[in-house]
Amino acid sequence: MRPVGIRIMTQHTSTEATAVADAEKKAQLNVNKLTKWLRHAVGDAINDFNMIEPGDKIMVCLSGGKDSYTMLDILLGLQRSAPIDFSIVAVNLDQKQPGFPEHVLPDYLKSIGVDYRIIEEDTYSIVKKLVPEGKTTCSLCSRLRRGILYRVADELGASKVALGHHREDILETLFLNMFYGGKLKAMPPKLVSDDGKHVVIRPLAYCREKDIVRYSEAKGFPIIPCNLCGSQPNLQRAVVGDMIADWDKRFPGRIESMFRALQNVVPSHLADTSLYDFVGAKADGVARADGDKAFDRETFSEPNTINILASKPADAGGCGDH
């Protein structure tokens, strides 16, 4: 009887080991697919907006959050396979927040062998001194941080400044400007700074936040939470972000459709007289592609989620490498 018992135990152990191996293989396959998904989205954003050119030195702004870690990781992968040569330097701004783990980013960046700079500026004290208790600090903190990063870009000779904003960040900014600023304005994937000296790029512009979350978890990035702004209650951006996340759950495909709208603007059907000559508009008998459709009522339907996810990288779909 004893040998039979041993045989049964061995069989069970072998079955469990096979199940574990199969699960690990499936998990790795999913990570590989997700990596291709994100690389394709980033590669297409780079191509569509000519974000990176031969000889560029890209200053990748690294905060210690999931977005900037993912951006750096994907750009490093593209750097190895892209048909053009460009260099990368990772830059972190240590704002001297209490309890900030100063060793985490240097240790990580050393481990992956990337050129990096840690910039120490006590913007935390400035923000806490100037912003009344209970008020949000984002606006002032962002201005201070951006000014320092532009200065560092000059010192490093960086031709491009890469920020880790993704698709939902761009849509949140659109709604924030609509709701609170009275402007139809979002975050463009590429923009020249107001002083004309720097080109800002957002390589994750086509990437979905939920894919970035999955990628970050799979890669095990050493995430550093922002105790200065991330914990503030009643942030307008957080409220808008929750609204967009709710829409994404209840109406699949709506977020993709909204993002496509940013790439399909019709100035003649808005109301900005600086973008379209409404004052000089006259009936001259010449047909116009952007003219009114003879009082026809436009029809709308919920987007086909399957087709959306299979179409463009702007919808965070598709596979393949840049």
Side-chain angles (χ1 to χ4, degrees):
M1 294 296 292
R2 185 173 297 173
V4 174
I6 294 174
R7 238 184 351 260
I8 294 174
M9 184 179 298
T10 303
Q11 183 177 359
H12 285 176
T13 303
S14 176
T15 302
E16 291 171 359
T18 301
V20 170
D22 288 344
E24 291 176 349
K25 184 177 179 180
K26 183 178 180 180
Q28 186 57 53
L29 180 63
N30 288 335
V31 172
N32 293 341
K33 289 172 62 177
L34 181 59
T35 301
K36 285 187 176 182
W37 192 282
L38 289 171
R39 282 169 63 91
H40 185 78
V42 171
D44 269 30
I46 290 173
N47 283 335
D48 288 351
F49 295 92
N50 192 30
M51 290 185 185
I52 299 178
E53 300 168 274
D56 268 342
K57 185 173 187 177
I58 312 298
M59 188 178 98
V60 177
C61 299
L62 197 66
S63 66
K66 63 178 177 19
D67 305 328
S68 58
Y69 273 124
T70 297
M71 175 176 63
L72 175 63
D73 195 67
I74 296 296
L75 286 178
L76 288 171
L78 290 176
Q79 184 188 38
R80 291 188 288 269
S81 61
I84 62 172
D85 292 326
F86 63 92
S87 61
I88 290 174
V89 55
V91 171
N92 169 255
L93 174 58
D94 180 354
Q95 298 177 264
K96 296 305 174 184
Q97 296 170 222
F100 182 78
E102 297 179 358
H103 67 284
V104 171
L105 279 169
D107 289 351
Y108 172 75
L109 295 170
K110 287 177 186 175
S111 72
I112 63 174
V114 67
D115 185 19
Y116 73 92
R117 302 289 188 280
I118 304 296
I119 311 301
E120 298 185 4
E121 294 279 354
D122 189 4
T123 60
Y124 178 86
S125 296
I126 297 173
V127 170
K128 297 302 288 184
K129 180 180 178 180
L130 296 179
V131 177
E133 193 67 32
K135 298 292 184 179
T136 57
T137 62
C138 293
S139 179
L140 176 58
C141 181
S142 178
R143 289 199 303 273
L144 292 171
R145 187 170 63 246
R146 191 65 60 88
I148 295 169
L149 291 174
Y150 283 161
R151 186 202 75 210
V152 174
D154 286 336
E155 294 171 355
L156 294 175
S159 53
K160 303 285 172 58
V161 178
L163 304 178
H165 298 119
H166 50 68
R167 184 192 64 177
E168 278 79 354
D169 286 326
I170 292 172
L171 287 174
E172 286 172 13
T173 304
L174 171 68
F175 285 108
L176 283 168
N177 277 303
M178 289 175 62
F179 294 165
Y180 304 107
K183 295 179 182 179
L184 199 57
K185 173 184 174 183
M187 283 178 178
K190 179 182 177 182
L191 190 67
V192 178
S193 61
D194 55 3
D195 62 4
K197 296 181 179 180
H198 306 90
V199 176
V200 177
I201 59 174
R202 296 180 170 94
L204 299 183
Y206 288 170
C207 298
R208 303 185 298 189
E209 183 175 21
K210 55 190 174 185
D211 290 334
I212 293 172
V213 170
R214 289 171 54 210
Y215 189 78
S216 178
E217 291 173 349
K219 288 288 186 175
F221 297 135
I223 304 298
I224 302 174
C226 177
N227 298 321
L228 178 58
C229 60
S231 59
Q232 295 176 92
N234 302 320
L235 284 177
Q236 293 170 338
R237 181 172 289 276
V239 173
V240 171
D242 289 342
M243 177 189 74
I244 292 175
D246 180 59
W247 284 349
D248 193 30
K249 289 179 181 178
R250 294 194 293 137
F251 309 106
R254 177 167 293 184
I255 306 304
E256 286 79 10
S257 182
M258 288 193 301
F259 190 86
R260 280 205 314 278
L262 293 176
Q263 302 171 292
N264 190 23
V265 178
V266 186
S268 66
H269 284 53
L270 298 175
D272 190 334
T273 56
S274 68
L275 294 180
Y276 189 83
D277 185 15
F278 294 101
V279 175
K282 301 183 186 303
D284 55 11
V286 178
R288 291 171 173 79
D290 62 356
D292 192 78
K293 305 302 180 186
F295 305 106
D296 289 345
R297 177 177 294 180
E298 292 193 64
T299 58
F300 303 95
S301 60
E302 285 296 326
N304 185 323
T305 307
I306 295 177
N307 289 340
I308 283 173
L309 295 180
S311 58
K312 279 179 63 67
D315 308 324
C319 292
D321 294 336
H322 168 57

